[in-house]
């Protein structure tokens, strides 16, 4: 085992177990139905996602500085709004199929951001307010945005209580985590293990064929998330007084977004047929954005540095002329 080397990559905590589940379901599907707790875990995606949201909620700190709240609200509201606009445009203008992408896949992927990646990037490039903005951006997790958007547009039949129930574990986690340091520490420790378990369960509901079906369109989804949506979130950040770093750092797809299509199909069976393909597309977007979001942010940092250098040179020249 000492000779075995595993090089980690962004999003691997959900992608690797998901691929293991895909392989098992593709070649030995009968093994997944052996019974007992193992089969219960494989078939219990909804329960596992609920537990994940509970743990994730405990990590969210509702206390933050006013500027951090402003930055977080601007970038995540812009991102969510764009996901809904693009998703509904595909649904109504392209018959819910734009180069293989459905409104379900688009909203599921773009509405959620990889906040761990955001924190890592802003820790390197951002200031304290940009780092603290993760407390606000973390509020957009789970399938709630997809449910509300598709249901409000008449594209899905979902009761209000189902929507409330989808976000209730997150709210309970937030309350517990902010009321008790013990709860925060204990529940937060379960985030990564629950992501791994959810990833495996999701993979057990997919096949290699479905992954290939989501391949090229999933790559397109990731590129749109980073460069189209990312460009607009950068502009929104800059227009409201930010540096653009937060806007670039948020242009990713969260690993938790992989569970969104399946969660929506669980409350509206009409999405059961496209949920596996949408799941594969979102998974591809997770991988693509995990590598490209840091690249986009570094370009913003370099651009800001060039602008600052040019401005300093102009100011120096102006002072020389005045002297």
């Amino acid at each position: 085992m000492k000779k075995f080397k595993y090089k980690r990559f962004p999003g691997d905590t959900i992608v690797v177990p998901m691929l293991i589940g895909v392989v098992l379901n593709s070649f030995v599907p009968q093994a997944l139905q052996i019974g007992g707790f193992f089969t219960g875990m494989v078939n219990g995606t909804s329960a596992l996602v609920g537990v994940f949201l509970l743990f994730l909620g405990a990590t969210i700190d509702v206390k933050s500085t006013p500027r951090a709240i402003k930055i977080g609200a601007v970038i995540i509201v812009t991102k969510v709004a764009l996901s809904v606009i693009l998703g509904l445009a595909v649904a109504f203008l392209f018959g819910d199929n734009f180069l293989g992408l459905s409104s379900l896949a688009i909203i599921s992927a773009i509405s959620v951001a990889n906040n761990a990646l955001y924190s890592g990037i802003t820790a390197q490039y951002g200031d304290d307010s940009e780092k603290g903005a993760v407390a606000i951006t973390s509020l957009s997790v789970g399938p709630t945005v997809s449910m509300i958007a598709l249901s409000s547009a008449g594209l899905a039949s979902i009761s209000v209580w189902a929507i409330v129930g989808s976000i209730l574990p997150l709210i309970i986690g937030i309350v517990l985590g902010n009321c008790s340091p013990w709860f925060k520490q204990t529940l937060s420790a379960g985030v990564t293990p629950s992501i791994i378990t959810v990833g495996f369960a999701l993979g057990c509901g997919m096949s290699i064929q479905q992954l290939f079906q989501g391949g090229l369109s999933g790559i397109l989804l990731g590129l749109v998330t980073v460069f189209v949506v990312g460009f607009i979130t950068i502009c929104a950040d800059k227009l409201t007084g930010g540096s653009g770093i937060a806007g670039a750092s948020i242009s990713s797809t969260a690993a938790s977004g992989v569970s969104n299509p399946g969660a929506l199909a669980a409350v509206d069976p009409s999405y059961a047929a496209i949920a596996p393909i949408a799941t594969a597309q979102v998974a591809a977007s997770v991988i693509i954005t995990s590598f490209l979001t840091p690249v986009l942010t570094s370009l913003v940092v370099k651009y800001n540095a060039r602008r600052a250098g040019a401005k300093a040179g102009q100011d120096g020249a102006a002072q020389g002329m005045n002297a």
Side-chain angles (χ1 to χ4, degrees), residues 31-323:
L32 303 179
Q33 303 305 320
I34 194 171
F37 297 122
F38 181 73
T39 300
M41 178 183 70
V42 168
N43 297 331
T45 305
S46 296
L48 293 174
V49 172
V51 172
F52 162 69
L53 290 176
L54 175 69
F55 292 162
L56 184 63
T59 68
I60 298 175
D61 189 356
V62 296
K63 297 179 181 179
S64 187
T65 63
R67 185 168 181 268
I69 293 174
K70 175 188 174 183
I71 292 174
V74 167
I75 59 178
I76 199 60
V77 168
T78 301
K79 196 172 194 292
V80 169
L82 287 170
S83 75
V84 174
I85 292 172
L86 292 175
L88 296 185
V90 166
F92 290 110
L93 299 180
F94 298 95
D96 209 21
N97 188 336
F98 178 73
L99 299 178
L101 293 174
S102 64
S103 57
L104 176 61
I106 291 172
I107 297 177
S108 294
I110 298 178
S111 64
V112 291
N114 187 334
N115 289 293
L117 183 63
Y118 175 89
S119 296
I121 295 173
T122 54
Q124 180 178 358
Y125 296 121
D127 58 24
D128 289 341
S129 296
E130 288 165 332
K131 296 173 187 175
V134 72
I136 305 302
T137 62
S138 296
L139 295 175
S140 177
V141 294
T144 309
V145 172
S146 301
M147 289 184 177
I148 293 175
L150 295 173
S151 181
S152 300
L155 298 172
S157 178
I158 305 171
S159 70
V160 174
W161 292 114
I163 295 175
V164 172
S166 71
I167 198 174
L168 190 57
L170 179 71
I171 295 175
I172 294 174
I174 292 174
V175 172
L176 292 176
N178 283 272
C179 289
S180 168
W182 181 84
F183 267 123
K184 187 179 186 70
Q185 180 179 3
T186 303
L187 295 178
S188 298
V191 172
T192 299
S194 65
I195 289 177
I196 294 173
T197 308
V198 168
F200 177 72
L202 287 169
C204 290
M206 301 164 58
S207 67
I208 291 178
Q209 181 182 3
Q210 290 168 341
L211 278 180
F212 278 114
Q213 288 175 338
L216 292 177
S217 54
I219 292 173
L220 173 62
L221 181 58
L223 294 175
V224 169
T225 301
V226 173
F227 295 112
V228 177
V229 176
F231 174 76
I232 298 176
T233 53
I234 291 170
C235 291
D237 186 16
K238 283 182 169 291
L239 288 174
T240 53
S243 65
I245 291 175
S249 302
I250 204 68
S251 61
S252 62
T253 296
S256 61
V258 178
S259 66
N260 290 356
L264 197 138
V267 296
D268 187 349
S270 65
Y271 282 99
I274 66 171
I277 295 177
T279 299
Q281 292 169 337
V282 176
S285 182
V286 171
I287 299 172
I288 293 297
T289 61
S290 293
F291 288 105
L292 292 183
T293 297
V295 174
L296 178 65
T297 308
S298 67
L299 292 176
V300 172
V301 172
K302 292 176 181 178
Y303 173 78
N304 290 345
R306 286 198 301 269
R307 288 290 300 272
K311 186 175 185 302
Q314 292 175 355
D315 291 342
Q319 290 177 358
M321 291 179 64
N322 292 333

